[in-house]
Amino acid sequence: MTTYSDLSPYVYAAETIPPGANALNIGWLGGDNDFPEGDVPEGFLDSFILLARDHSSARMRGWHACSLPHENGKPSYPYRAEADGAWIALGAAEVRVYSAGGELLIAPDLAYHYVKYHKYLPPQKFIEAVLARRISFGVN
Ligand SMILES: [Zn+2]
């Protein structure tokens, strides 16, 4: 999977971006690239996985696998995570949320694994948007 720096302009599936949206990358990790590590707030992973289950975007064919190093063997492929009692496969879609300032923040759904297993710490504005489950912005 291509890697992008957090908060860089989103270009991966640019044709899927609403006109005028300021779309930014979050959590496109892989290979040997460094990324911030830390603890996310209580509830972040639960909110994220429900967004991945109920509001995934830009679904692709086939699954991406995590390309970061794993000390205890590779995770399942496709990677599966539990969402409120049901298991879902991750690696083929995105989670899109709006920051409080109206930016469209776009993460691969595998970011769940990056946070849970690799201790990836996403930008604060993304954490806030996921906890708020802000999947639209402004007037609907
Ligand atoms: Zn991994």
Side-chain angles (χ1 to χ4, degrees):
M1 190 164 76
T2 311
T3 63
Y4 302 102
S5 303
D6 281 350
L7 303 176
S8 62
Y10 174 89
V11 294
Y12 181 64
E15 71 281 1
T16 65
I17 301 302
N22 182 17
L24 303 175
N25 292 305
I26 301 288
W28 295 82
L29 310 184
D32 298 325
N33 293 358
D34 284 338
F35 54 88
E37 295 179 36
D39 292 323
V40 294
E42 184 85 24
F44 173 82
L45 284 171
D46 290 340
S47 289
F48 186 91
I49 201 67
L50 292 177
L51 289 168
R53 185 189 68 180
D54 298 338
H55 299 287
S56 66
S57 300
R59 185 158 290 277
M60 307 289 172
R61 294 202 303 172
W63 281 276
H64 288 291
C66 175
S67 65
L68 297 171
H70 298 91
E71 286 178 14
N72 300 311
K74 288 206 171 293
S76 64
Y77 177 81
Y79 182 78
R80 293 180 191 279
E82 189 179 354
D84 200 19
W87 289 83
I88 61 173
L90 302 179
E94 298 171 346
V95 167
R96 299 179 171 193
V97 288
Y98 284 88
S99 73
E103 299 149 311
L104 179 56
L105 306 176
I106 302 180
D109 60 11
L110 262 185
Y112 177 88
H113 166 76
Y114 300 150
V115 171
K116 184 167 182 161
Y117 186 93
H118 299 284
K119 294 288 176 200
Y120 164 58
L121 181 64
Q124 189 58 43
K125 64 174 74 177
F126 182 73
I127 292 172
E128 187 276 334
V130 167
L131 287 171
R133 300 192 201 176
R134 195 179 299 109
I135 58 172
S136 62
F137 189 76
V139 180
N140 289 302

